[in-house]
Amino acid sequence: LTELRRRGWRWLLVFDNAEEIGAVRPFRPVDGRGRVLVTSRRAGWGAVGAVVEVPTLARSESVALLSGRVPGMDAATADRIAGLLGDLALAVEQAAAFCEQTGTPATEFAELLAERLDDVVGLGQVAERAGVTVATLWELSVARLEVVEPAAVELLELLAFCGPAPLPLDLFAGRADLLGDGRLSVAVADRLVWTHTVGALVGYGLVSRDTYSVSVHRLVQAATRRSTSDTRRPVVLATLLRLLHTDLPSTIMRSPQGWPRWRELLPHVRAIVDRLPDPSGKRSAPKKNRAEYVDDLVWLCDRAATYLQEHGRSGEALPMFQRALAIDEATYGSDHPVVATRLNNLALALQDLDRFGEALPMLQRALAIDEATYGPDHSEVALRLNNLAVALQDLDRSGEALPMLQRALAIDEATYGPDHPEVASDLSNLALALQDLDRSGEALPMLQRALAIDEATYGPDHPEVALRLNNLAVTLQDLDRSGEAMPMLQRALAIDEATYGPDHPSVAAGLRNLALALQDLDRTREALPMLQRALEINEAIYGPDHPSVLTIRGNLESAQNALDG
């Protein structure tokens, strides 16, 4: 370089994958004839020159590279592979090389990526980069961090087992006691040290950060998981379970204040519980963490499923409820009250999917467990009676349901007094059974009382109030008082839209109820767009063949025929 400068020649010096700024600094050009180009995964190069962030490939570029290199690869398969690889250039090239070198069909490789990403990141040799794969790309950075910042490596391990979505950093705040006895617990306890720890991962190019969260590329996660030992893996997962259980709200049904946090962390909950085998007689977690590990896992499965169910995604919720039940049955035996709760929750999801025949024996079993555990007059028994009765109503067996609902109401009034929200729920369920039996006149005062209780308990704008308003309005319609029902249905719809947003099943139900009331008042033209919107909401959530979709489609056709006639 000295000779090039002496001769006045133009020159370009390239540092590929540089690690230290200090190693490059002496070669900075001192005149306009030289240039230095540095590539690095490390941050902080702005001090020595202009920095250009190189993003991952555009999806179209990834697809073009794969399709051009692998004969017969269609665009859809290339798109799937690129998505699973997060459009990382080395990974896309490595995938193309593996398919070329082994003759593996592209569709088969895509399946391998989806099922075994942690293993596949080590496959394929890239031309002119011998020994460098996605599995080894970050090894040097992590090895250096292990020496200078071991807490950062502990944090990277935790992040690796989460989902690829951004993870809020406040998940760790104030929770040093949940992080074991390693260096990370010390770092979390000191704000300055914690900032330095997160910054180390950013500085080594292993994570990116915004104000409140960190993000890790899915292949950095896969490579980190691949290098995590079999003994360390369950410790990391148990730690994440503890953190999430501590952080997430337990009350979900008609409790929108907790939904934003669940929405933010749900991708991580699902990723973590999917990585854990179900506990067996020989638990995979360390023995000292066994009970806590099992409790945290079941709690997260149950609550995540409840969140999904509350947002009209009962099909996704079902396997998580089933898993929670299976674990608790293995842990506590078949006749434990915890098992009754799991049976109840699973049955409610089945009811949402119109699988009433499957739900019924589960609810009967849950009732039997709780009666044997608590006796005949306990509030838990009242809850089981209510749910079993609703299932019987769904099966057109309201006559059998009625004495159960009357018994549940008597238990809860004796337990809580006459003005408790549990009593309001009992009154509403009993009233609906009476309606099914053509006794709407008896149902009306019960629903009015239930509405008054819930308004006094929750205020005028709560989703429980919307539920009571809907039920009361439907009863008024049955009594040919649709004019009185209209303002109640409009108010209920406004509450649900404010609570759930415009595309929730509760909103679709409210739209349908309001549309039917308008039809009763010979205002079918106003009802038609409401039924169309309700149909669009439920088709998007449930698909075209769900019973609720078929019902609304029938309502819409009837309304259209009435207008055409």
Side-chain angles (χ1 to χ4, degrees):
L1 185 57
T2 302
E3 181 64 17
L4 291 171
R5 284 172 172 164
R6 188 184 68 77
R7 293 177 179 237
W9 290 356
R10 300 183 67 82
W11 54 270
L12 171 66
L13 183 61
V14 178
F15 291 85
D16 185 34
N17 199 22
E19 287 286 331
E20 301 293 341
I21 294 175
V24 175
R25 194 183 298 274
F27 298 95
R28 291 175 65 187
V30 295
D31 54 37
R33 306 195 66 80
R35 295 288 186 273
V36 172
L37 176 65
V38 179
T39 68
S40 179
R41 292 187 304 279
R42 297 288 301 273
W45 291 92
V48 294
V51 175
V52 177
E53 295 285 346
V54 180
T56 56
L57 295 174
R59 180 56 56 84
S60 60
E61 294 170 329
S62 300
V63 169
L65 190 158
L66 287 164
S67 301
R69 289 276 300 277
V70 183
M73 182 181 291
D74 61 88
T77 303
D79 184 81
R80 185 182 183 203
I81 291 172
L84 290 166
L85 295 173
D87 295 298
L88 189 71
L90 174 63
V92 173
E93 188 180 358
Q94 187 180 325
F98 179 77
C99 291
E100 280 184 305
Q101 293 157 6
T102 64
T104 302
T107 53
E108 182 179 330
F109 184 74
E111 292 300 324
L112 284 171
L113 277 176
E115 295 169 8
R116 300 184 62 182
L117 179 63
D118 297 11
D119 298 319
V120 176
V121 293
L123 301 177
Q125 294 295 316
V126 177
E128 301 179 356
R129 301 197 72 174
V132 178
T133 66
V134 170
T136 63
L137 185 61
W138 295 278
E139 283 182 354
L140 179 60
S141 295
V142 174
R144 291 188 176 184
L145 264 181
E146 187 71 61
V147 175
V148 301
E149 199 66 50
V153 176
E154 284 187 50
L155 178 57
L156 181 63
E157 284 181 323
L158 293 175
L159 297 173
F161 287 87
C162 295
L167 184 76
L169 285 167
D170 62 2
L171 178 65
F172 302 95
R175 294 179 177 141
D177 59 315
L178 302 181
L179 297 171
D181 53 5
R183 298 294 295 271
L184 184 59
S185 64
V186 177
V188 167
D190 185 309
R191 186 174 179 182
L192 179 60
V193 178
W194 172 240
T195 300
H196 184 72
T197 299
V198 177
L201 289 178
V202 176
Y204 275 76
L206 295 165
V207 308
S208 58
R209 177 181 182 175
D210 61 21
T211 304
Y212 302 108
S213 62
V214 289
S215 300
V216 191
H217 193 282
R218 63 171 60 241
L219 296 186
V220 177
Q221 291 179 305
T224 305
R225 292 194 300 268
R226 177 187 170 94
S227 63
T228 302
S229 69
D230 290 342
T231 55
R232 177 67 182 158
R233 181 180 293 255
V235 176
V236 171
L237 288 166
T239 300
L240 288 166
L241 290 176
R242 286 196 301 273
L243 286 166
L244 290 166
H245 187 172
T246 302
D247 185 276
L248 284 160
S250 61
T251 303
I252 296 169
M253 298 294 283
R254 290 185 282 280
S255 299
Q257 65 275 10
W259 296 346
R261 191 60 166 180
W262 269 103
R263 188 180 306 117
E264 188 174 33
L265 289 175
L266 182 64
H268 305 293
V269 172
R270 299 181 81 164
I272 292 160
V273 300
D274 284 349
R275 298 189 203 288
L276 274 161
D278 284 346
S280 61
K282 296 180 180 179
R283 302 279 159 73
S284 56
K287 187 175 182 180
K288 67 179 181 179
N289 292 332
R290 181 186 301 174
E292 184 179 6
Y293 157 74
V294 174
D295 290 345
D296 290 339
L297 174 60
V298 173
W299 187 91
L300 285 166
C301 285
D302 180 82
R303 294 293 83 196
T306 301
Y307 174 82
L308 290 167
Q309 181 186 15
E310 180 72 349
H311 288 78
R313 297 159 66 183
S314 292
E316 295 175 60
L318 198 64
M320 301 188 83
F321 279 134
Q322 290 168 328
R323 187 177 182 191
L325 171 61
I327 294 170
D328 273 348
E329 281 189 308
T331 302
Y332 298 109
S334 59
D335 299 322
H336 195 279
V338 169
V339 172
T341 299
R342 303 292 170 240
L343 286 163
N344 179 81
N345 293 350
L346 175 56
L348 294 181
L350 287 167
Q351 285 178 265
D352 286 345
L353 297 168
D354 288 341
R355 293 164 63 177
F356 308 119
E358 296 171 65
L360 189 65
M362 294 182 182
L363 292 167
Q364 290 167 326
R365 185 179 156 204
L367 173 61
I369 292 170
D370 279 349
E371 284 185 315
T373 302
Y374 302 115
D377 300 320
H378 194 275
S379 57
E380 285 292 326
V381 172
L383 181 62
R384 305 294 173 241
L385 286 164
N386 267 297
N387 290 337
L388 177 55
V390 170
L392 288 168
Q393 288 173 257
D394 289 332
L395 292 167
D396 296 322
R397 295 163 62 180
S398 295
E400 296 173 61
L402 197 64
M404 295 182 182
L405 293 167
Q406 290 166 331
R407 181 182 160 201
L409 175 60
I411 291 170
D412 281 343
E413 284 187 314
T415 302
Y416 300 114
D419 300 320
H420 193 275
E422 288 294 336
V423 172
S425 179
D426 296 340
L427 287 164
S428 181
N429 290 339
L430 179 55
L432 294 177
L434 288 167
Q435 276 181 266
D436 289 344
L437 296 169
D438 295 323
R439 295 163 62 180
S440 295
E442 297 173 62
L444 187 64
M446 294 182 180
L447 290 168
Q448 290 167 327
R449 182 181 160 203
L451 174 61
I453 292 171
D454 279 347
E455 285 185 314
T457 301
Y458 301 113
D461 301 319
H462 193 276
E464 286 287 349
V465 172
L467 184 62
R468 305 294 172 242
L469 285 164
N470 266 302
N471 291 341
L472 178 55
V474 170
T475 302
L476 287 168
Q477 287 174 261
D478 286 344
L479 295 168
D480 296 323
R481 295 164 61 179
S482 295
E484 296 174 61
M486 277 291 298
M488 296 181 182
L489 292 168
Q490 290 166 329
R491 182 181 159 203
L493 178 60
I495 293 170
D496 281 342
E497 285 185 313
T499 301
Y500 301 115
D503 302 317
H504 191 273
S506 292
V507 172
L511 286 163
R512 176 178 177 269
N513 290 341
L514 184 54
L516 294 178
L518 286 166
Q519 286 181 268
D520 288 343
L521 295 169
D522 295 323
R523 295 164 61 183
T524 301
R525 195 169 300 280
E526 296 173 61
L528 204 62
M530 296 181 180
L531 289 169
Q532 288 169 330
R533 185 179 156 206
L535 180 62
E536 290 168 3
I537 292 170
N538 278 357
E539 279 187 324
I541 293 169
Y542 300 121
D545 301 319
H546 190 271
S548 68
V549 172
L550 299 177
T551 297
I552 296 175
R553 190 177 292 135
N555 296 145
L556 184 58
E557 290 173 1
S558 297
Q560 188 65 62
N561 290 337
L563 286 176
D564 294 342

